[in-house]
Amino acid sequence: METKYYAAVDMGASSGRVMLGWMENGKMQLQEVHRFQNGMVKKDGELCWEHDRIFREVITGLKKCREIGKIPCSVGVDTWGVDFVLLDKEDKPIGNYVGYRDHRTEGMDEEVYKIISLDELYSRTGIQKAIFNTVYQLMAVKKTHPDYLEKAETLLYTPDYFHFLLTGQKVNEYTEATTGQLISAKTNDYDWELIDRLGYPRKIFQKVVMPGTSLGSVRPEVAEEIGYDLEVVVPCTHDTGSAVLAVPANDDDFIYISSGTWSLMGVERKQADTSRKSCEMNFTNEGGYDHRFRYLKNIMGLWMIQSVRHEVNDQYSFSEICDMAEEEKDFPSRVDCNDDCFLSPDNMTEEVKDYCRRTGQRVPENFGQLATVIYTSLADCYAKTAGELEELTGRTYSRIHIVGGGSNADYLNRLTARATKKEIHAGPGEGTAIGNITAQMLKSGEFKSVEEARDNIHASFGIKVYNPDGSVRQ
């Protein structure tokens, strides 16, 4: 039987990849075909994405699939959340591709709360307050560029925009759209009353579709350029949604962490928790595969390590950084990883040092001390969040599954096991791409259920277990 290949465009805040997945001898296989750099750049005083350049990278990756003789039958795109593109009546982008770390949303929470309180906003959407959420970004557009909203015909979230460039189809995928804080936690569709009250034009919001939806074939000009036709199948387009789909477990006795630039830590639930207590603890109810809820907290994650590494011109590998941190493991200072000061500082190294000064702690003097402050603070944050999850759900969990690139951080995994007093099950490292491909495979019938798919992921990629006592097993 001819092998069917599936392509995942897995786009993170610092890099992107085109990955191929297929079944071989009953196990899922994965291959990276093309990797490219991503990141925000300054344009007209705003922090912006380079979507035009990135789309060319996507095309390059799809061409390479043909060059290596592994032509995919379908492709899907996943990215980060909340960011969007506005299109005019001629489908041309309006304004810059502004990213979530831009400062345009400063003060926009207060503008929104003049219309609707935070409590009511949370009770309607179940989404935690983050100043970069789409609800605040749109308020920034309304206040500073009202003409943009007047001209806008279409709002497409970042992965929706790439699917549009591939197919010409305009939809808003569910898992991504929920991150914007405009989807009802009860109806799984837009909260139209909320949108009207905020003064955002209804017409710009598109039909909400679920993971597994086919958008049909790529545009003829795309097929001609890459040298073949293929179907576009919508995955969980929010990268955490894809990563959670790839967690290799089918019971309910675990917490997951999708670990990358951000750490998303939570549990999977059938119903949203939109209570005041959940709001006060800043948990969120993002959409998942098959209308499941990803009940989680956003934690700053490896962004801090990535930033300080970049500030020394990337001269150390992440493995070397872990080793340097371990050498300074007794350094006592800690920071609050979720403090807004770490969201988009001019210099992360100085921000960490300044935080230590402000709080009367020892200031790190070398890179190893700086790294151990970040890693130990992150592990402590995981432990605190695990306790909050157990309080909110009224139960305890025996283990934590870490998927994504951060699952390879051996030192951090050991710190997390010790801090949380739970087993850490690390892997697969390519969780997001695997989840993207899994949604496509579920649509095509390679798997009959999510449970079957997760069993296969466990068998195909394996995990590494870290115990609280420091021992490790495969």
Side-chain angles (χ1 to χ4, degrees):
M1 189 170 70
E2 184 178 350
T3 301
K4 292 178 72 173
Y5 298 97
Y6 304 84
V9 179
D10 176 24
M11 212 177 303
S14 57
S15 66
R17 298 86 51 77
V18 177
M19 309 283 288
L20 279 175
W22 67 95
M23 297 299 292
E24 188 174 298
N25 298 321
K27 291 186 177 181
M28 189 188 298
Q29 307 296 314
L30 201 64
Q31 179 180 353
E32 180 180 299
V33 178
H34 181 56
R35 178 178 286 266
F36 49 90
Q37 292 300 306
N38 194 21
M40 298 182 204
V41 297
K42 278 279 189 180
K43 183 179 180 183
D44 304 325
E46 296 176 312
L47 278 173
C48 302
W49 300 108
E50 299 180 285
H51 289 340
D52 297 334
R53 176 182 67 81
I54 295 302
F55 185 64
R56 298 312 310 163
E57 298 282 6
V58 172
I59 295 298
T60 297
L62 293 175
K63 284 181 177 179
K64 286 184 177 180
C65 294
R66 176 175 54 81
E67 290 167 6
I68 64 173
K70 295 179 178 178
I71 295 176
C73 61
S74 66
V75 63
V77 179
D78 67 75
T79 77
W80 58 94
V82 305
D83 286 343
F84 57 89
V85 177
L86 295 174
L87 302 180
D88 63 18
K89 62 183 179 182
E90 296 178 346
D91 292 336
K92 302 297 183 186
I94 302 170
N96 294 325
Y97 302 126
V98 181
Y100 63 85
R101 293 192 193 275
D102 186 74
H103 294 289
R104 68 176 177 170
T105 53
E106 290 179 358
M108 291 302 118
D109 49 349
E110 296 305 319
E111 294 297 327
V112 168
Y113 302 153
K114 290 176 183 177
I115 300 167
I116 181 172
S117 69
L118 174 59
D119 283 349
E120 185 184 356
L121 187 59
Y122 188 86
S123 70
R124 298 178 79 110
T125 66
I127 299 299
Q128 74 174 127
K129 182 200 172 175
I131 193 59
F132 46 71
N133 286 352
T134 311
V135 67
Y136 306 115
Q137 290 201 46
L138 280 170
M139 185 58 70
V141 174
K142 182 182 173 183
K143 292 294 181 182
T144 59
H145 294 287
D147 55 313
Y148 287 5
L149 285 183
E150 290 173 8
K151 290 189 291 186
E153 293 287 329
T154 304
L155 179 148
L156 297 175
Y157 290 96
T158 301
D160 301 329
Y161 180 59
F162 284 100
H163 286 144
F164 165 72
L165 293 177
L166 286 168
T167 67
Q169 300 299 312
K170 302 173 188 174
V171 298
N172 292 157
E173 188 274 324
Y174 170 69
T175 68
E176 179 79 10
T178 59
T179 68
Q181 212 169 1
L182 293 165
I183 296 282
S184 166
K186 295 182 175 66
T187 68
N188 300 321
D189 198 356
Y190 281 109
D191 186 329
W192 297 112
E193 180 187 343
L194 169 63
I195 286 167
D196 290 343
R197 285 167 62 181
L198 292 168
Y200 304 154
R202 280 193 181 208
K203 67 178 180 180
I204 65 175
F205 300 97
Q206 306 302 299
K207 178 184 177 183
V208 176
V209 302
M210 295 302 296
T213 299
S214 173
L215 299 183
S217 296
V218 294
R219 298 174 190 252
E221 57 268 31
V222 172
E224 182 176 0
E225 184 170 6
I226 64 176
Y228 58 94
D229 190 16
L230 82 164
E231 183 183 17
V232 175
V233 174
V234 175
C236 296
T237 64
H238 187 234
D239 49 11
T240 310
S242 279
V244 171
L245 183 57
V247 173
N250 279 317
D251 61 358
D252 63 353
D253 188 26
F254 67 90
I255 295 168
Y256 60 75
I257 302 175
S258 173
S259 180
T261 300
W262 289 87
S263 289
L264 300 308
M265 184 173 185
V267 295
E268 211 171 33
R269 306 183 77 172
K270 296 290 179 64
Q271 293 183 323
D273 180 350
T274 60
S275 66
R276 177 183 286 269
K277 186 173 184 181
S278 179
C279 178
E280 289 172 349
M281 289 190 173
N282 213 25
F283 277 79
T284 196
N285 298 268
E286 295 176 351
Y289 189 86
D290 194 26
H291 287 125
R292 302 168 191 221
F293 285 97
R294 294 175 282 126
Y295 188 59
L296 59 84
K297 177 171 281 191
N298 285 276
I299 300 168
M300 199 67 74
L302 297 178
W303 158 250
M304 297 175 71
I305 283 288
Q306 292 167 353
S307 297
V308 297
R309 176 177 180 257
H310 188 60
E311 286 160 6
V312 293
N313 299 314
D314 300 332
Q315 62 179 289
Y316 306 120
S317 69
F318 288 111
S319 176
E320 288 171 331
I321 293 172
C322 283
D323 291 342
M324 294 165 71
E326 189 164 14
E327 288 177 9
E328 298 284 354
K329 63 184 178 182
D330 295 326
F331 192 80
S333 300
R334 303 287 185 271
V335 300
D336 177 2
C337 295
N338 286 329
D339 194 295
D340 285 345
C341 69
F342 299 121
L343 178 62
S344 187
D346 292 332
N347 185 289
M348 184 67 76
T349 300
E350 291 306 313
E351 199 67 48
V352 173
K353 290 180 177 181
D354 285 347
Y355 186 101
C356 292
R357 288 191 195 99
R358 293 195 305 268
T359 53
Q361 302 182 83
R362 280 183 60 187
V363 177
E365 298 176 357
N366 59 48
F367 197 86
Q369 291 176 355
L370 185 72
T372 207
V373 168
I374 294 172
Y375 279 131
T376 52
S377 298
L378 194 52
D380 287 350
C381 186
Y382 290 162
K384 181 174 182 286
T385 303
E388 292 171 342
L389 273 166
E390 292 180 335
E391 180 182 346
L392 285 164
T393 59
R395 57 167 301 175
T396 58
Y397 301 91
S398 67
R399 67 189 191 278
I400 297 174
H401 279 268
I402 302 180
V403 297
S407 67
N408 298 315
D410 182 77
Y411 179 56
L412 179 57
N413 292 339
R414 285 185 278 123
L415 286 175
T416 303
R418 188 170 64 205
T420 61
K421 299 179 175 60
K422 299 181 187 297
E423 286 186 356
I424 302 302
H425 292 227
E430 299 289 355
T432 304
I434 292 168
N436 181 324
I437 289 164
T438 296
Q440 297 180 57
M441 287 184 168
L442 281 163
K443 190 264 178 187
S444 73
E446 298 268 11
F447 301 121
K448 295 183 175 63
S449 66
V450 171
E451 291 73 21
E452 182 184 339
R454 284 174 165 166
D455 284 342
N456 190 278
I457 291 167
H458 188 284
S460 299
F461 299 101
I463 55 175
K464 193 174 183 179
V465 179
Y466 297 78
N467 296 307
D469 64 6
S471 60
V472 182
R473 68 182 191 273
Q474 292 293 132

